[in-house]
Amino acid sequence: MSDQLRPRASLRTAVVWEVLKDALERRVKATGREALDVLDTGGGTGNFAVPVARLGHRVTVVDPSPNALFALERRAEEAGVADRVRGVQGDILGLFEVVDRVGYDAVLCHGVLEYVDDPAEGVRNAVEALRPAGALSLLGAGLGGAVLARALAGHFAEARQALADPTGRWGDGDPVPRRFTADQLTGLVDDAGIEVGAVHGVRVFADLVPGVLVDTEPGAMEELLRLEAAVAELPAFHAVATQLHVLGEKRA
């Protein structure tokens, strides 16, 4: 859990990071280039961009927030990878106003589709930025996880509302504009020209376990991370995951 080449080992990033790191290693072998060109759309302060740069890759982060990009610059400098991380203000729907088409070996689209008016266009742009056989890492909010969380909190009407709502929202106070099922996400990437390689459930149990238990029980964090990794690829658990991760390659 101390591997400095990955983000802080946390319940929010550990499963996705391990999958992403393996995908980048496969692209390195396939291309014969040790340094890949990686695009991180909505990459914010660099939770993934900086660790990817530590692996030796060149990372372009596109994010609409100037404050996030400023924090990214500072973070990259502190990590010693400022020469491999570039921040650009923009968003995925206007992606090609700030980056080139077909210019990247891998594209990260994490926590973006929930907030755009047209998720299908967002995915198409992410795919269009990829070189042939490039890797797409897509992370979106899961519908089932929200339904389960509202029900366990005793908000049964809100759970039912999220289940029935076309965007998966549980009410006007819901901070997430849109949620997805695994079939919806895989359908979006398939339509955009991606061959789906794997689907992972992320934070299946993490958001349901009391934080005090994880923080105070010896070894609880490590065991919970192992459990999350064990169920991540099992379809039965995708329906209750807080987030869903889709990994695939651009078709030739």
Side-chain angles (χ1 to χ4, degrees):
M1 308 310 299
S2 61
D3 182 358
Q4 66 176 355
L5 295 181
R6 74 186 204 176
R8 179 179 179 272
S10 74
L11 298 171
R12 293 180 179 274
T13 62
V15 168
V16 176
W17 173 249
E18 292 302 330
V19 172
L20 177 61
K21 188 165 65 170
D22 289 344
L24 294 175
E25 289 174 358
R26 289 194 298 272
R27 292 308 304 149
V28 166
K29 292 178 181 178
T31 62
R33 292 184 284 108
E34 293 186 1
L36 302 175
D37 296 305
V38 179
L39 175 64
D40 189 354
T41 64
T45 61
N47 286 340
F48 284 91
V50 169
V52 167
R54 281 183 178 149
L55 295 175
H57 306 305
R58 297 177 291 269
V59 188
T60 298
V61 176
V62 175
D63 196 278
S65 168
N67 290 337
L69 293 174
F70 177 77
L72 167 71
E73 182 179 355
R74 185 174 63 241
R75 189 173 188 172
E77 187 71 37
E78 292 172 351
V81 294
D83 60 328
R84 294 196 293 273
V85 176
R86 179 173 73 103
V88 182
Q89 189 171 2
D91 61 59
I92 197 165
L93 296 186
L95 190 60
F96 301 115
E97 297 173 9
V98 294
V99 302
D100 293 332
R101 290 176 166 82
V102 199
Y104 298 91
D105 300 292
V107 172
L108 283 57
C109 184
H110 295 171
V112 173
L113 297 187
E114 298 94 322
Y115 300 97
V116 299
D117 293 334
D118 189 343
E121 182 182 353
V123 175
R124 287 194 298 270
N125 285 352
V127 174
E128 194 169 347
L130 281 170
R131 292 167 179 155
L136 175 68
S137 175
L138 182 71
L139 185 67
L143 170 62
V147 173
L148 183 61
R150 300 316 288 174
L152 291 179
H155 304 300
F156 307 120
E158 291 180 351
R160 187 161 48 86
Q161 170 67 21
L163 195 59
D165 188 85
T167 58
R169 288 170 54 82
W170 48 255
D172 292 338
D174 193 336
V176 179
R178 183 180 287 103
R179 294 184 178 89
F180 304 90
T181 65
D183 286 345
Q184 286 172 333
L185 284 182
T186 55
L188 285 172
V189 300
D190 180 71
D191 290 345
I194 290 289
E195 188 69 33
V196 176
V199 179
H200 306 89
V202 180
R203 291 157 57 194
V204 175
F205 304 108
D207 292 350
L208 305 177
V209 175
V212 64
L213 173 63
V214 176
D215 294 337
T216 60
E217 186 71 21
M221 172 69 82
E222 289 75 13
E223 287 302 324
L224 183 51
L225 282 167
R226 292 189 183 100
L227 178 60
E228 290 280 351
V231 303
E233 288 195 60
L234 300 179
F237 291 93
H238 295 166
V240 294
T242 299
Q243 292 179 309
L244 295 164
H245 180 245
V246 178
L247 183 73
E249 290 188 359
K250 186 175 183 178
R251 299 189 187 103

